Amino acid sequence: MTRTRFAPSPTGYLHIGGARTALFCWAYAKRQGGTFILRIEDTDRERSTRESVNAIIESLKWLGLDYEGPTFQMDRLARYREVAGQLIREDRAYYCYASKEELEALRESQRARNEKPRYDGRWRPENAQRLALKPPPNAQPVVRFRNPDAGEVTYRDLVKGAITVSNSELDDLVLLRADGIPTYNFGAVVDDIDMNVTHVIRGDDHVNNTPRQINIYRALGANLPQFAHVPLILGADGERLSKRHGAVSVTQYRDEGYLPDALVNYLARLGWSHGDEEMFSREQLVEWFDLEHISASPARFNPAKLAWLNAQYIKATGDARLAALAEPFLLRYGCDPRKGPALGKVAALLKERVNTIEELADAAVYFYRLLEPPESLRRQHAGPEASPVLAELAQRLEAAEWKREHIQAVLKSVAAAQNVKMNKVGMPLRVALTGKEETPSIDAVVELLGRDEVLRRLRRWL
């Protein structure tokens, strides 16, 4: 059975690149009827935080990516030490007592000779014996892997194709640090073996790790998973994606009013495609997803495209659901959605005009709280010359049947009576009622505000 895993380090929030990797892993496992695993690689004790763990779990839940787990590497230290001990007994690994100062001096001398900095294997048992090296007193050794000296590592990447690396390019990597904490390459391999991971789908910044990991798999006599390295996401300028490109954490997109379905849809299209399909559901993604259609070229992150896609999802979302999503924003703005028109009706009026739920709530504020217009708008549209118009509007609206078509008829009759164009009626009314220059059609706004509130706001100007 197919088993994939997402293995973030909890040293920060889940960002767009990580979320896309998780989505690809989840979609592939679901397509194959398999299992998607969440593993928290929390071995960086200085930078790993519970807050980051919670943010990762919260983000995956919001995106709708269900998983097995989570498991934590720090709960498995005994297992890594057990496997390291096995490799030592089989002469596949050894203790290394080289100090940081020795290793830095080694690297400096290699750089001076224009050589690639690498560990020279001095503590391999046969080399240590030849050099008459003795463990320093009270020194805590690391455990190093005995990388094969000859041959090469060849594997078929499911995205990049065949990759071959000579073992002469690889040195003896550290498996366990002196404190018994595993390095990334060792912990990942042991975990993937124990968790029966069949497909390792991850960013192509891990391509260089894969030959090292394959050698560890082989030393342990384990079956290799299949590897798929997904190209990184770039900004529109071709640089590596960062906050300055508009790429932020998943939770920030949630907090700014993006819909999870829209973000899942957008992330899926970052480097993968199904024909010309732009909008599709999670169910369609699972039905269609494969690794063959992941692009080998980096994807470009486009915040404007994400905003557009989110707008399409908002338009397609039911008004009651939009109301529930917008209500927390309005409460933060000091508005009480119970004291005003039904929020679902307001959402129906506004949803064609916004890109996010936050924008929807921003646009809805004037339905629940009187907004004073800027002085510039007041002078331009609601000055003394507008008073006769507003006065007649108040008089006629008080007696009008409260339906949109009748309200529109009142506006036209006032324009005719005052001998002015419609914009000399609609704009003063809009500014007086909403404090804004741009709103949906003013007759629809008036209808939703209700007769009592409209008259109350108008009379403030008379």
Side-chain angles (χ1 to χ4, degrees), residues 259-327:
L259 300 179
D261 291 348
L263 189 56
V264 164
N265 191 157
Y266 182 73
L267 291 176
R269 288 287 285 115
L270 276 179
W272 174 84
S273 62
H274 180 78
D276 296 325
E277 298 288 343
E278 287 288 348
M279 291 186 64
F280 42 81
S281 66
R282 280 185 187 78
E283 292 73 22
Q284 288 172 313
L285 171 62
V286 169
E287 179 184 348
W288 296 337
F289 190 80
D290 56 20
L291 301 177
E292 290 77 11
H293 287 88
I294 293 178
S295 172
S297 302
R300 299 288 181 108
F301 180 77
N302 185 341
K305 180 66 176 292
L306 172 57
W308 173 86
L309 190 61
N310 198 59
Q312 309 316 305
Y313 274 87
I314 286 176
K315 292 173 186 176
T317 298
D319 300 333
R321 174 62 178 155
L322 291 177
L325 292 169
E327 183 173 3

Side-chain angles (χ1 to χ4, degrees), residues 200-217:
V200 174
I201 304 168
R202 57 189 178 188
D204 66 3
D205 51 335
H206 287 292
V207 166
N208 292 337
N209 291 320
T210 303
R212 296 177 176 278
Q213 293 180 2
I214 287 175
N215 281 336
I216 298 173
Y217 276 102

Side-chain angles (χ1 to χ4, degrees), residues 122-155:
R122 64 182 62 182
W123 278 97
R124 283 190 176 192
E126 65 277 17
N127 293 337
Q129 183 177 15
R130 176 174 53 81
L131 297 170
L133 298 179
K134 300 294 183 183
N138 302 319
Q140 294 296 316
V142 300
V143 175
R144 285 190 182 270
F145 179 64
R146 183 191 282 272
N147 196 76
D149 294 317
E152 56 191 23
V153 178
T154 296
Y155 70 99

